[in-house]
Amino acid sequence: QQRNIWRAVLPHALANKLAQRALENIPLDDILEVFVNGGSERLLKSFSRRLSYLNQSEISAEIAKRWLSKNGLLSDVSNLNDLGITLLSNIAPIAPKVTLEAIERAANGDGGQKFTSRKNDHFDKFTRLLRSLAYDSELFERCTVLICRFALSEDSKENQSSIRDLLKSLFFMHLSGTHASANQRLCIIEGLVNSSSANEQELGLLLLSSALEAWHFNSHYGFDFGTHSRDYGYSPKTREEVHKWFNVFISLANTLAVSDQPIAVKTKILLANKFRGLWIKAGVFDALEKVAKSIIKKGSWNEGWIAVRTTIRFDSKHMDNELLSRLRELEKLLKPSNLLEQARTYALSDHSHSLDFIDAEDESDERASDQYARVEEATRQIGRKVAIDEATLNALLPEIVTVNGARLYSFGRGLAEGCMDPLSMWKNFRNQLSTVDVSQHNYNALCGFLYSISETNREISEQILNDAVTDNVLGARFPLLQTSVKIDEQGV
């Protein structure tokens, strides 16, 4: 440490051997006395760094245990400064279990709630350390439970040093950085999705989404840990292992999708989003057909129908006839058959790719703009039918004013063209909005409705706008309503 202008010239192979010999020949208490009580911060960092290279040494492990034990140098990991965090990171590879026990003590102590949150100044260091410790399957569940506590403390849309992104990486089939089994990971997900907490359910679905990923794998996190020889974690080597992995998580998704819980809707959307990758890349055809049949017995799966059509559109040319035939049968099975589900699929779905609503054989000679117009017209036609079907309209009303549907505007135009009493329908829109928090309001259907009314009966549209100016529900969004129609002198 006092070499002045001289550089360190010993390669690690020699330096590690000399350090190991010193640990064996100098009393441990003497070593700790010099480095801990008599050394500088720089010397202490250097010493701990050298220890990290000696993960096979029993004496190194003993030093790590002493530091992390009660009254040890690093006994209270919840109150470590920058130096303490550096020392902890250096010795963690020497004694993984002892390190985890120290973190668990802090997490379960009096200040545990703050410690396992983003309020912890070193949350990023602790979560990354826990991810490295989770490499060993025997430590995986304990580590992920703690990372989950950190993740639940942050906003779900946090994108700076996101704990949720780090946690997701542990649940990929490839590049996960852990050798935990599929069932071990399933256990964590089940605990979250079966919780009564909406925040925990959302996190569980996020991890389930990672486990069902079959297409894109990447990792922004390191895989090294001291001098341990490590790979990228578990990775299936055969097609059979791939199927076994996905069947575990598809089975859970199936159970959730047919349940009577609110999470069922989100699970069906999740399955639809993963469908193409699972069919094309993973080849779990039987499992997906089983899920589709299970869901359709319980109700509808409009998102699944769109997902099947998307797969046909993009991949049918490269698919053998047998698989394509199975996919087309699935498309027929899932196709929305009644007016309610047709409206939800065309108008209320956020799926914006119009081509997925067009039959493949109808695409060849038609311009994309014409196909788009055809789907918008089909949505208007459905709106006209819903307008005269009171039961269907009432069932859809809560969704019409809250869901961010891709074709709600055209649907609203259809409602206006089909209804017999525009003022009464507008009143229903307004009353439904009054029962929902402002943050959930969606006016796309109302704007389409108002535009069509203004085209056929200007007097009624002006009455609606005049009343909206001072309305305690619609008044705040009056400019949006006014600009949805042609602005005349009175509009100005």
Side-chain angles (χ1 to χ4, degrees), residues 169-189:
S169 70
L170 287 168
F171 288 79
F172 286 125
M173 183 175 64
H174 297 292
L175 301 177
S176 65
T178 178
H179 277 275
S181 67
N183 285 327
Q184 283 182 290
R185 303 185 218 202
L186 178 70
C187 184
I188 297 296
I189 296 174

Side-chain angles (χ1 to χ4, degrees), residues 41-54:
E41 284 191 10
R42 179 183 174 189
L43 188 64
L44 200 53
K45 287 181 182 179
S46 182
F47 176 56
S48 67
R49 181 65 173 167
R50 181 57 60 191
L51 289 177
S52 71
Y53 292 115
L54 307 176

Side-chain angles (χ1 to χ4, degrees), residues 135-154:
Y135 176 87
D136 295 317
S137 58
E138 60 178 302
L139 302 181
F140 173 81
E141 293 175 61
R142 292 162 62 188
C143 291
T144 49
V145 165
L146 290 173
I147 302 175
C148 284
R149 287 177 58 179
F150 278 98
L152 289 166
S153 74
E154 74 177 1

Side-chain angles (χ1 to χ4, degrees), residues 27-135:
L28 185 54
D29 290 338
D30 291 350
I31 293 176
L32 294 177
E33 177 65 27
V34 170
F35 284 100
V36 177
N37 297 327
S40 64
E41 284 191 10
R42 179 183 174 189
L43 188 64
L44 200 53
K45 287 181 182 179
S46 182
F47 176 56
S48 67
R49 181 65 173 167
R50 181 57 60 191
L51 289 177
S52 71
Y53 292 115
L54 307 176
N55 59 283
Q56 300 297 325
S57 168
E58 294 182 3
I59 302 175
S60 295
E62 179 61 26
I63 293 173
K65 289 178 183 178
R66 288 196 186 190
W67 280 3
L68 291 166
S69 64
K70 187 177 182 181
N71 299 323
L73 181 65
L74 306 174
S75 59
D76 184 6
V77 299
S78 62
N79 289 307
L80 295 180
N81 55 19
D82 290 340
L83 171 62
I85 291 295
T86 300
L87 299 182
L88 180 65
S89 299
N90 285 342
I91 67 167
I94 308 169
K97 292 182 181 178
V98 178
T99 302
L100 178 56
E101 289 170 2
I103 297 175
E104 286 175 330
R105 282 200 306 272
N108 298 324
D110 293 338
Q113 185 173 355
K114 179 181 178 182
F115 175 76
T116 53
S117 72
R118 288 184 71 96
K119 293 180 180 179
N120 183 335
D121 293 337
H122 303 290
F123 76 87
D124 191 37
K125 298 287 179 58
F126 279 110
T127 51
R128 286 174 181 264
L129 178 55
L130 286 167
R131 182 183 180 277
S132 294
L133 292 170
Y135 176 87

Side-chain angles (χ1 to χ4, degrees), residues 154-301:
E154 74 177 1
D155 187 278
S156 61
K157 297 180 181 179
E158 180 65 64
N159 56 19
Q160 183 175 2
S161 299
S162 171
I163 303 169
R164 291 173 184 247
D165 283 349
L166 179 142
L167 182 60
K168 280 169 54 181
S169 70
L170 287 168
F171 288 79
F172 286 125
M173 183 175 64
H174 297 292
L175 301 177
S176 65
T178 178
H179 277 275
S181 67
N183 285 327
Q184 283 182 290
R185 303 185 218 202
L186 178 70
C187 184
I188 297 296
I189 296 174
E190 283 183 326
L192 292 167
V193 296
N194 292 326
S195 167
S196 58
S197 164
N199 194 20
E200 290 184 15
Q201 289 181 1
E202 181 182 3
L203 182 60
L205 285 178
L206 186 69
L207 302 185
L208 181 59
S209 175
S210 296
L212 289 172
E213 180 59 53
W215 211 294
H216 306 290
F217 300 97
N218 58 64
S219 179
H220 305 293
Y221 308 98
F223 297 95
D224 58 314
F225 194 50
T227 58
H228 289 280
S229 178
R230 285 188 164 184
D231 54 24
Y232 298 119
Y234 169 78
S235 184
K237 297 178 175 58
T238 65
R239 198 68 171 173
E240 182 181 357
E241 289 181 355
V242 170
H243 288 182
K244 184 177 179 181
W245 169 278
F246 284 117
N247 285 338
V248 167
F249 298 104
I250 290 175
S251 178
L252 172 62
N254 190 5
T255 301
L256 296 174
V258 299
S259 70
D260 295 322
Q261 302 300 318
I263 198 173
V265 175
K266 293 182 179 180
T267 305
K268 289 194 287 186
I269 294 173
L270 168 60
L271 276 170
N273 290 338
K274 298 297 179 182
F275 182 91
R276 186 180 170 214
L278 291 170
W279 186 276
I280 299 300
K281 292 295 183 180
V284 284
F285 316 117
D286 294 342
L288 290 174
E289 287 174 335
K290 181 179 178 181
V291 166
K293 292 174 182 177
S294 177
I295 292 176
I296 208 70
K297 282 182 181 179
K298 181 79 175 182
S300 61
W301 191 22

